[in-house]
């Protein structure tokens, strides 16, 4: 892991950009913590790691005593995308705008994206836990489909928070039954991209005995800020 920049921010957080092979990432750590629990914070299927809402969540979480990391995995953010991926993304957007069925397009695009992203996140986790000042346990926050795969395949994940998970690939809908870590699941009641009933069915499928559903009115990007504070209490219970 090679750090390419470092900034001390006015909220007592240190922000460092890094590269790990071809993987670009950002790490936020509290300036004063000797050893902080780690939260992996993943953006949704293609958004860049510098997406403002993710950065705001990461800084707030780091200021509360956590190390927080995000990456642009393969096909996400500024990483190269194949012509096939670009076409699938355009087809998905067009079908959703037109109210047409999207399941098959979604499978052809998001399924492979999860498969490619998972090993890069696990490689990043290995490198992060080798750094001084970062310890376990490890939490996950963000993109539901990737989070399900990591919660099932990565034993170091001790708690997870998932966002707006109506649409996930078939493989992750099946894997949801194998998720056993404590779970906080956020649903936007009027999410234009994630049908409400599908999200509720997915929540019902999770195998963990400790799962909490928070539903709020509004569209996809309307999650209230207080959910970040509630999420902080959730991670405090399970990671500190």
């Amino acid at each position: 892991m090679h750090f390419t920049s470092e900034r001390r921010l006015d909220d007592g957080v240190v922000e460092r950009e890094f590269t790990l092979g071809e993987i670009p990432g950002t790490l936020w750590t509290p300036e004063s913590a000797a050893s902080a629990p780690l939260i992996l914070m993943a953006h949704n299927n293609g958004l860049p790691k510098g997406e403002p809402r993710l950065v705001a969540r990461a800084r707030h979480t780091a200021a509360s005593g956590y190390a927080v990391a995000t990456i642009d995995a393969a096909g996400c953010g500024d990483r190269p995308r194949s012509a096939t991926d670009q076409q699938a993304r355009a087809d998905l957007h067009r079908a959703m705008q037109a109210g047409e069925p999207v399941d098959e397009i979604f499978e052809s695009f998001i399924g492979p994206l999860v498969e490619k992203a998972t090993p890069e996140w696990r490689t990043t986790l290995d490198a992060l836990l080798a750094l001084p000042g970062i310890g376990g346990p490890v939490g996950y926050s963000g993109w539901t489909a990737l989070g399900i795969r990591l919660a099932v395949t990565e034993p170091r994940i001790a708690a997870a928070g998932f966002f707006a998970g109506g649409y996930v690939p078939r493989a992750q809908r099946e894997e949801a039954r194998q998720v056993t870590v404590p779970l906080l699941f956020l649903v936007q009641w009027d999410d234009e991209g994630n049908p409400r009933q599908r999200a509720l069915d997915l929540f019902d499928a999770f195998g963990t005995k400790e799962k909490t559903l928070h539903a709020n009115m509004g569209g996809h990007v309307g999650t209230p800020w207080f959910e970040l504070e509630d999420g902080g209490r959730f991670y405090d219970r399970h990671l500190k």
Side-chain angles (χ1 to χ4, degrees):
M1 178 174 283
H2 174 64
F3 288 100
T4 58
S5 70
E6 179 175 312
R7 291 196 304 156
R8 279 169 168 74
L9 307 175
D10 56 12
D11 48 9
V13 171
V14 179
E15 178 186 84
R16 287 178 284 176
E17 301 290 331
F18 65 83
T19 57
L20 183 62
E22 297 181 352
I23 307 168
T26 308
L27 173 64
W28 295 267
T29 52
E31 200 165 24
S32 58
S35 182
L38 173 64
I39 295 178
L40 305 178
M41 196 167 282
H43 46 71
N44 280 353
N45 56 62
L47 294 175
K49 62 184 178 61
E51 200 276 328
R53 287 179 297 135
L54 183 145
V55 172
R57 284 169 37 220
R59 288 182 57 171
H60 183 276
T61 304
S64 299
Y66 291 91
V68 182
T70 191
I71 63 170
D72 280 342
C76 296
D78 295 327
R79 299 281 296 278
R81 298 172 183 168
S82 68
T84 302
D85 285 349
Q86 294 283 58
Q87 185 60 53
R89 189 183 296 273
D91 290 344
L92 180 63
H93 180 73
R94 178 196 55 77
M96 292 181 72
Q97 291 291 104
E100 298 172 358
V102 301
D103 286 83
E104 293 309 315
I105 302 173
F106 189 87
E107 289 289 335
S108 68
F109 173 44
I110 302 299
L113 200 61
V114 171
E115 294 294 333
K116 290 185 288 187
T118 302
E120 295 201 346
W121 275 97
R122 297 187 73 181
T123 296
T124 303
L125 178 56
D126 291 340
L128 290 167
L129 290 179
L131 294 174
I134 297 179
V138 179
Y140 173 89
S141 173
W143 179 18
T144 298
L146 174 66
I148 292 172
R149 171 56 58 86
L150 285 174
V152 169
T153 60
E154 179 47 72
R156 292 171 291 187
I157 301 289
F162 295 158
F163 284 65
Y167 274 116
V168 300
R170 295 186 190 98
Q172 277 68 66
R173 291 204 296 271
E174 290 299 319
E175 287 177 329
R177 305 182 190 283
Q178 303 173 46
V179 173
T180 58
V181 299
L183 175 65
L184 177 62
F185 192 59
L186 302 184
V187 173
Q188 286 300 104
W189 208 240
D190 307 299
D191 191 332
E192 59 279 8
N194 286 278
R196 181 188 308 166
Q197 191 57 53
R198 291 180 70 129
L200 297 178
D201 290 344
L202 181 62
F203 177 77
D204 191 48
F206 288 120
T208 179
K209 296 184 183 302
E210 186 172 346
K211 55 184 177 181
T212 300
L213 171 70
H214 285 187
N216 290 283
M217 303 301 292
H220 186 68
V221 297
T223 304
W225 183 257
F226 63 72
E227 288 291 0
L228 181 60
E229 298 168 344
D230 285 348
R233 288 187 284 272
F234 166 79
Y235 290 114
D236 287 349
R237 289 195 300 274
H238 298 292
L239 303 183
K240 284 188 175 180

